[in-house]
């Protein structure tokens, strides 16, 4: 039998993968400052989540923030409906 010469680089790339740049602490501080401002925070979350130009880490963070906001709103509505239903049932 003849030995086969297999080139390792032919099957596996040896170049490092190109990823998104790391977000600096300064950028995260600015992000947190913008998210602390009412109404601006919701607008910026939508811009970062669906704008297309944001870093993928920031876009994922914005999507997660919007999901948590939606969960909070649904919970708030359920609690308000239960409270008003209980109050209406008392009379």
């Amino acid at each position: 039998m003849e030995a086969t010469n297999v080139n390792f680089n032919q099957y596996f790339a040896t170049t490092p993968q190109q990823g998104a740049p790391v977000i600096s602490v300064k950028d995260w501080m600015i992000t947190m400052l913008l998210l602390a401002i009412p109404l601006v925070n919701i607008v910026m979350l939508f811009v970062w989540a669906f704008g297309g130009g944001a870093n993928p880490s920031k876009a994922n963070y914005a999507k997660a923030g919007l999901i948590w906001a939606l969960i909070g709103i649904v919970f708030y509505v359920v609690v308000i409906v239960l409270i008003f239903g209980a109050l209406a049932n008392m009379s």
Side-chain angles (χ1 to χ4, degrees):
M1 282 206 163
E2 206 172 296
T4 56
N5 242 347
V6 177
N7 187 357
F8 181 78
N9 292 332
Q10 178 182 357
Y11 296 103
F12 301 101
T14 58
T15 58
Q17 293 180 351
Q18 294 293 329
V22 176
I23 300 176
S24 68
V25 174
K26 180 181 103 175
D27 289 337
W28 278 121
M29 294 294 291
I30 293 170
T31 299
M32 294 169 89
L33 176 67
L34 288 173
L35 292 178
I37 303 171
L39 296 179
V40 173
N41 56 7
I42 299 297
V43 171
M44 291 308 297
L45 283 175
F46 277 104
V47 168
W48 291 326
F50 306 112
N55 185 300
S57 294
K58 192 179 282 189
N60 287 338
Y61 179 81
K63 290 173 188 173
L66 289 170
I67 291 169
W68 276 115
L70 182 64
I71 290 169
I73 290 169
V74 168
F75 180 75
Y76 178 75
V77 168
V78 168
V79 168
I80 293 299
V81 167
L82 289 175
I83 289 173
F84 281 126
L87 290 175
N89 197 22
M90 291 174 74
S91 24

